[in-house]
């Protein structure tokens, strides 16, 4: 610690403070005597106090605000709390509460966090990045706020997403908080209500587009990589055309990925692998139908295709197992309104609506990525149950209010036979004396471990094999007991162990693929390297 700091400096520095846990000796040597109550608390006692106060809050958004304030004043205590009580805290700092937090971001704003880029910064982004106080940034999560969860264009209010994702990088995988940088590309918003809101904090203009947009993103990427050469850049909540466009623009040249496309794909594939174990049907033989054909759904399809090819199918035969339905009906070759990413899945088949397609195709797995609540109706689930002993149902849309169906509905309408997973958390359901534990197919199972593994390997880029590796690792951590409870994912309380194993396997995959920048000595001890990189929040 720096000797010329005052006691008050230590107390108000979120990264350095221990608050009431400073020892007697520290209070004497650091000028803290008289500035704290008499008792010297342990960190465990502080966690208990925080939990008691948080639980007094009457609603989740107030708990979110309370936890954000804790993060601002005592970083280590915040991450200790989150990591030790992840099942209770993650729904408060991320989905589903983060959706409301983003909608209300400008109204609940307390202190700035993260880095903002606007069109007015064009030509000076690299210089402006020097204002960020940390030099050793390893992970950037960046959004432009145009497609926040299933809530649409929230403009600069979408900064809540990068902030929340990076909190999970630290809590779930041990990336040090100082190595995390949330970024908002505030290029305007087409949400007129936001622009009319006198409290709105963003760039109050319509969104820039086309070459004007791309050149600004290019400048930011170049500036970020010049300032932080080894940084991993995670794209988050971009509108589908931009999500695919930016991923394809950078994926082979820099260390980056799109969590909505590739992270969602890996966590969904892991769930399907686990479902394959439960039903006894090999992945290559499964027919999988998607309701929704945006970036998340087609990203899952692309990775499933690679996984099926790894099990011996040709590309053509793998794609024939994957069917997509959008708001216009089944994605078929005769349609002239499809986007480029849909074309590989446009089968030579008769046009039909969703329910008719279910009857015609008899999918083993139904995956919802619509952002439209209630689209898995009683009729839909009953149809799935009529031609499957164990219908596999993924209601992945976030937040909870956008889920295609609830866990209780899936179990009730399938006579308790469904294997159900969702993007947001649902409580266990007791039906006819049996407890069903719905798995949460949350990307937090995947992206922190991939990020940690990429950092450990000093990877140059992230090919699809990395995401296959992460999915297989996650699926392999699902136990027989998990499956007997109906859960397709490990318990969330084990997520730090899950992230560590994914990181080890991802880093080893990078070494095998020749995309790691490690000495032979470093490569020989990947598990030790990963463990050494994991921050432990303690005093």
């Amino acid at each position: 610690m720096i000797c010329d700091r005052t006691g008050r400096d230590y107390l108000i520095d979120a990264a350095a403070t221990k608050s009431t846990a400073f020892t007697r000796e520290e209070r004497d040597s650091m000028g803290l005597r008289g500035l704290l109550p008499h008792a010297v608390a342990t960190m465990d006692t502080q966690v208990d106090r925080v939990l008691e106060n948080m639980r007094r809050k009457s609603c989740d958004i107030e708990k979110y605000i309370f936890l954000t304030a804790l993060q601002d004043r005592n970083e280590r205590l915040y991450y200790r709390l989150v990591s030790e009580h992840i099942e209770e805290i993650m729904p408060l700092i991320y989905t589903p509460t983060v959706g409301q937090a983003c909608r209300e971001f400008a109204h609940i704003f307390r202190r700035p966090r993260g880095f903002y880029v606007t069109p007015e910064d064009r030509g000076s982004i690299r210089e402006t990045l020097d204002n960020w106080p940390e030099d050793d940034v390893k992970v950037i999560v960046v959004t432009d706020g145009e497609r926040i969860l299933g809530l649409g264009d929230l403009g600069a209010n979408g900064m809540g997403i990068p902030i929340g994702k990076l909190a999970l990088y630290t809590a779930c995988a041990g990336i040090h908080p100082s190595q995390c940088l949330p970024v908002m590309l505030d290029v305007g918003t087409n949400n007129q209500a936001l622009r009319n809101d006198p409290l709105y904090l963003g760039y109050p203009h319509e969104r820039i587009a086309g070459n004007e947009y791309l050149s600004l993103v290019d400048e930011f990427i170049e500036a970020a990589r010049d300032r932080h050469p080894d940084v991993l850049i995670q794209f988050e909540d971009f509108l589908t055309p931009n999500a695919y466009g930016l991923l394809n623009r950078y994926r082979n040249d820099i260390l980056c990925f799109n969590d909505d496309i590739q992270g969602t794909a890996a966590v969904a594939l892991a769930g399907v692998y686990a479902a394959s174990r439960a039903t006894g049907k090999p992945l290559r033989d499964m027919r999988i139908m998607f309701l929704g054909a945006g970036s998340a759904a087609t990203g899952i399809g692309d990775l499933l295709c690679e996984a099926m090819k790894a099990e011996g199918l040709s590309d053509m035969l793998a794609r024939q197992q994957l069917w997509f339905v959008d708001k216009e009906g089944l994605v078929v070759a005769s349609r002239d309104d499809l986007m480029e990413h849909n074309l590989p899945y446009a089968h030579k088949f008769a046009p039909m609506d969703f329910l008719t397609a279910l009857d015609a195709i008899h999918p083993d797995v139904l995956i919802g990525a619509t952002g439209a609540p209630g689209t898995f109706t009683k009729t839909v689930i009953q149809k799935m149950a009529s031609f499957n002993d164990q219908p596999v149902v993924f209601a992945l849309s976030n937040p909870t209010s956008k889920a295609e169906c609830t866990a209780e509905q899936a179990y009730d309408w399938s006579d308790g036979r469904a294997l159900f997973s969702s993007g947001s958390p649902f409580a266990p359901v007791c039906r006819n004396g049996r407890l069903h534990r719905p798995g949460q197919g949350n990307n937090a199972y995947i992206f922190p471990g991939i990020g940690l593994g990429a950092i450990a390997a000093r990877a140059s880029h992230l090919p699809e094999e990395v995401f296959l590796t992460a999915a297989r690792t996650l699926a392999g951590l699902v136990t027989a007991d998990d499956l007997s409870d109906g859960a397709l994912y490990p318990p969330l309380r084990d997520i730090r162990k899950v992230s560590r194993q994914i990181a080890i396997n991802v880093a080893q995959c990078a070494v095998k693929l020749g995309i790691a920048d490690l000495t032979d000595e470093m490569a020989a001890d990947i598990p030790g390297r990963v463990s050494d990189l994991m921050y432990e929040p303690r005093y």
Side-chain angles (χ1 to χ4, degrees):
M1 294 186 177
I2 301 172
C3 295
D4 60 357
R5 300 181 78 185
T6 68
R8 179 166 173 77
D9 290 334
Y10 291 117
L11 288 178
I12 65 175
D13 183 339
T17 191
K18 295 164 60 173
S19 186
T20 54
F22 281 112
T23 66
R24 301 275 180 231
E25 293 76 15
E26 288 170 332
R27 296 179 188 205
D28 286 338
S29 65
M30 298 163 65
L32 292 167
R33 185 180 284 273
L35 303 184
L36 291 164
H38 173 78
V40 175
T42 66
M43 204 175 197
D44 288 339
T45 299
Q46 291 178 326
V47 167
D48 290 342
R49 181 178 293 114
V50 168
L51 282 172
E52 180 180 305
N53 280 281
M54 183 197 74
R55 289 166 180 164
R56 285 197 182 109
K57 302 297 181 182
S58 59
C59 61
D60 287 348
I61 191 64
E62 289 299 324
K63 293 178 181 179
Y64 175 94
I65 294 169
F66 174 86
L67 290 166
T68 299
L70 175 63
Q71 186 180 19
D72 286 338
R73 72 174 184 269
N74 190 329
E75 194 172 77
R76 286 178 288 181
L77 181 59
Y78 171 82
Y79 285 111
R80 176 73 167 269
L81 172 74
V82 176
S83 60
E84 289 189 351
H85 298 271
I86 189 73
E87 291 175 301
E88 179 176 2
I89 302 298
M90 194 168 88
L92 300 174
I93 63 171
Y94 202 64
T95 183
T97 310
V98 73
Q100 184 179 358
C102 286
R103 285 197 300 266
E104 301 180 23
F105 186 83
H107 291 255
I108 64 175
F109 186 85
R110 300 295 194 272
R111 289 180 59 180
R113 180 176 289 273
F115 188 82
Y116 294 81
V117 176
T118 75
E120 294 179 359
D121 299 311
R122 190 183 300 277
S124 62
I125 296 175
R126 174 61 187 86
E127 178 184 0
T128 308
L129 262 174
D130 284 334
N131 292 335
W132 186 252
E134 303 293 347
D135 294 326
D136 189 31
V137 172
K138 297 298 186 186
V139 183
I140 288 173
V141 176
V142 57
T143 187
D144 69 357
E146 191 169 9
R147 200 230 63 182
I148 298 299
L149 302 174
L151 304 173
D153 185 352
L154 296 185
N157 284 5
M159 180 55 117
I161 296 296
I163 291 170
K165 288 277 185 178
L166 286 165
L168 296 182
Y169 262 109
T170 299
C172 300
I175 308 297
H176 196 281
S178 66
Q179 296 177 326
C180 298
L181 174 55
V183 174
M184 164 55 62
L185 296 177
D186 184 8
V187 296
T189 177
N190 295 334
N191 186 328
Q192 185 67 49
L194 281 181
R195 298 205 307 269
N196 291 341
D197 183 351
L199 294 182
Y200 181 58
L201 291 163
Y203 185 69
H205 303 281
E206 291 187 357
R207 285 183 172 273
I208 63 173
N211 289 333
E212 186 181 7
Y213 173 84
L214 285 175
S215 64
L216 189 71
V217 179
D218 282 343
E219 183 183 347
F220 165 72
I221 296 295
E222 183 178 349
R225 296 187 70 242
D226 184 70
R227 176 81 165 86
H228 307 290
D230 299 324
V231 72
L232 166 67
I233 298 176
Q234 176 176 317
F235 296 103
E236 194 71 38
D237 285 0
F238 288 77
L239 197 66
T240 294
N242 288 334
Y244 271 101
L246 295 176
L247 178 61
N248 292 333
R249 191 177 185 87
Y250 304 119
R251 67 191 302 171
N252 295 322
D253 299 319
I254 69 171
L255 185 60
C256 71
F257 71 101
N258 183 296
D259 187 48
D260 301 300
I261 297 172
Q262 296 164 292
T264 299
V267 78
L269 174 57
V272 175
Y273 273 137
S276 173
R277 286 168 53 196
T279 63
K281 191 166 192 175
L283 173 66
R284 57 174 287 158
D285 295 335
M286 286 183 164
R287 287 185 302 277
I288 300 172
M289 180 175 284
F290 297 82
L291 185 59
S295 58
T298 50
I300 297 169
D302 291 344
L303 197 63
L304 277 165
C305 184
E306 293 301 313
M308 289 178 172
K309 286 159 63 177
E311 293 192 1
L313 295 187
S314 67
D315 186 78
M316 181 185 71
L317 289 176
R319 292 187 191 279
Q320 287 178 0
Q321 298 292 92
L322 306 172
W323 299 80
F324 289 78
V325 178
D326 64 12
K327 61 184 178 180
E328 303 301 328
L330 192 65
V331 172
V332 294
S334 60
R335 286 177 51 178
D336 60 4
D337 60 345
L338 299 176
M339 298 181 71
E340 184 177 355
H341 62 275
N342 301 131
L343 295 177
Y345 302 101
H347 299 301
K348 293 181 180 179
F349 207 76
M352 57 187 68
D353 62 26
F354 175 41
L355 290 177
T356 305
L358 279 175
D359 285 327
I361 295 163
H362 283 199
D364 302 282
V365 180
L366 180 62
I367 298 176
T370 63
T375 44
F376 288 172
T377 63
K378 184 176 183 178
T379 300
V380 168
I381 301 300
Q382 287 180 334
K383 280 181 180 292
M384 284 291 294
S386 71
F387 43 74
N388 289 294
D389 291 335
Q390 289 181 286
V392 182
V393 178
F394 289 76
L396 296 182
S397 292
N398 283 318
T400 307
S401 60
K402 299 291 184 178
E404 286 77 12
C405 69
T406 68
E408 187 171 10
Q409 289 168 338
Y411 297 133
D412 282 350
W413 296 337
S414 66
D415 295 323
R417 293 185 283 120
L419 292 170
F420 175 82
S421 182
S422 58
S424 288
F426 283 98
V429 175
C430 187
R431 188 180 186 280
N432 295 332
R434 181 187 172 193
L435 188 67
H436 301 265
R437 180 166 63 84
Q440 186 185 352
N442 194 300
N443 291 17
Y445 278 114
I446 289 290
F447 69 81
I450 286 179
L452 179 60
I455 292 168
R458 299 170 63 185
S460 59
H461 62 289
L462 295 174
E464 288 299 277
E465 182 62 32
V466 165
F467 298 92
L468 282 173
T469 296
R472 290 169 181 149
T473 304
L474 177 57
L477 295 171
V478 179
T479 68
D481 287 342
D482 293 330
L483 292 177
S484 70
D485 291 340
L488 300 178
Y489 297 96
L492 197 56
R493 63 179 177 272
D494 294 335
I495 197 165
R496 221 171 145 90
K497 295 176 183 176
V498 169
S499 295
R500 181 179 180 274
Q501 192 59 55
I502 288 175
I504 290 169
N505 291 358
V506 162
Q508 290 173 338
C509 175
V511 171
K512 179 181 177 182
L513 294 173
I515 59 171
D517 182 19
L518 298 178
T519 65
D520 291 343
E521 184 179 359
M522 291 176 179
D525 186 22
I526 293 293
R529 182 169 172 78
V530 167
S531 294
D532 289 345
L533 288 171
M534 294 182 73
Y535 159 76
E536 294 287 345
R538 57 180 175 234
Y539 299 146

